[in-house]
Amino acid sequence: MRDNKEYSVAMFDFGGVVAEEGFIEGMKAIAGKYGLDPEGVLDTATDILYESGYICGRVPEAVFWAAFKRRFSLGEVSDEDLRNEVLKRFVLRDWMLELIQRLRDDGFKAVLLTDQTNWVEEVNEETPFYDRFDHVFNSYRLGKCKRDGSIFDDVLKVLQVDPDRIIFVDDKDENIKLAERLGIRGILYVDKDSFLKELCSRLPELEGKVIC
């Protein structure tokens, strides 16, 4: 543990940070395939994801797809075809996994905190990456999501680390703001270059270890 450093924990979101954003890109692909409005499909799918409770593990995946297909009159399309459009787009970012390993080698604890479902577990089964993290927190298993700000309190209880010693990387500004209310230091992920520049400004000891 990096007791003599400002930060000791690096916490990452999954889709849009550790991996490409499979849900967003998958919904856009579904919209294109069936002649639907991409923005409308994404917004509706996101609403169903949360309102059904699927994202928090309260209902099985079939409930999500049943509601989705009813909304867009896709009853003849199989769940498997739809889910594959999402799953195949959660492509792990090798450079990010390498960075996380370097942080661990430098004494950081690495944490995955994601609003995800069984999908992230299937990605891990296909291409194992959970071993890059000291802790994995998945909303599907926790029964609550980031928009319920108390999830950050739960994570802090497990980590037993002062919040201001945690760097949290997420691609949604609202999640960063919720974490920062507790004193966690957030980095909004927009793209690789700006992220590395911001990370290196927080962690000057990374100079020479990553391309900043």
Side-chain angles (χ1 to χ4, degrees):
M1 198 67 165
R2 294 160 49 87
D3 294 328
N4 61 330
K5 300 288 186 178
E6 182 176 1
Y7 300 105
S8 60
V9 175
M11 187 159 64
F12 299 85
D13 180 34
F14 177 65
V17 177
V18 172
E20 300 299 326
E21 183 45 90
F23 182 73
I24 292 176
E25 295 306 317
M27 288 302 156
K28 289 179 180 178
I30 289 170
K33 189 173 182 178
Y34 297 104
L36 302 169
D37 171 56
E39 185 174 339
V41 169
L42 178 59
D43 289 347
T44 299
T46 301
D47 288 344
I48 295 171
L49 194 65
Y50 284 89
E51 291 172 6
S52 69
Y54 175 44
I55 191 76
C56 296
R58 297 189 188 118
V59 298
E61 182 177 355
V63 172
F64 167 77
W65 288 122
F68 179 86
K69 289 191 288 187
R70 281 196 303 271
R71 175 62 180 80
F72 294 106
S73 301
L74 296 175
E76 299 302 314
V77 183
S78 72
D79 291 6
E80 194 68 19
D81 285 345
L82 293 171
R83 75 193 308 272
N84 283 342
E85 293 292 346
V86 174
L87 277 170
K88 69 183 181 183
R89 289 177 169 80
F90 282 121
V91 179
L92 293 167
R93 292 171 172 165
D94 290 338
W95 68 268
M96 182 65 85
L97 294 176
E98 291 171 5
L99 171 62
I100 291 167
Q101 187 58 55
R102 290 182 184 182
L103 290 171
R104 292 185 77 191
D105 291 344
D106 200 40
F108 276 87
K109 280 191 174 180
V111 176
L112 183 69
L113 174 60
T114 178
D115 278 1
Q116 255 298 332
T117 65
N118 49 293
W119 296 334
V120 69
E121 297 172 353
E122 292 185 33
V123 173
N124 181 61
E125 289 171 7
E126 180 71 22
T127 308
F129 71 97
Y130 276 10
D131 59 342
R132 303 296 183 102
F133 297 93
D134 297 284
H135 298 275
V136 174
F137 299 100
N138 180 3
S139 63
Y140 188 71
R141 299 300 175 187
L142 294 175
K144 62 174 66 174
C145 305
K146 291 174 192 169
R147 59 175 61 179
D148 175 352
S150 68
I151 197 172
F152 295 102
D153 293 291
D154 296 345
V155 169
L156 288 172
K157 288 176 183 177
V158 173
L159 297 180
Q160 292 293 297
V161 175
D162 290 339
D164 62 358
R165 289 177 60 79
I166 301 173
I167 291 179
F168 173 49
V169 185
D170 199 292
D171 63 336
K172 292 183 175 58
D173 187 55
E174 57 267 31
N175 294 336
I176 294 293
K177 289 178 179 177
L178 285 170
E180 288 180 336
R181 289 177 185 176
L182 295 176
I184 296 170
R185 309 292 185 85
I187 296 179
L188 179 64
Y189 186 95
V190 177
D191 56 52
K192 178 180 178 180
D193 290 343
S194 63
F195 162 67
L196 289 175
K197 182 177 180 180
E198 179 63 23
L199 185 67
C200 289
S201 72
R202 307 275 188 101
L203 303 172
E205 64 267 31
L206 288 181
E207 185 176 353
K209 298 180 182 179
V210 300
I211 300 175
C212 297

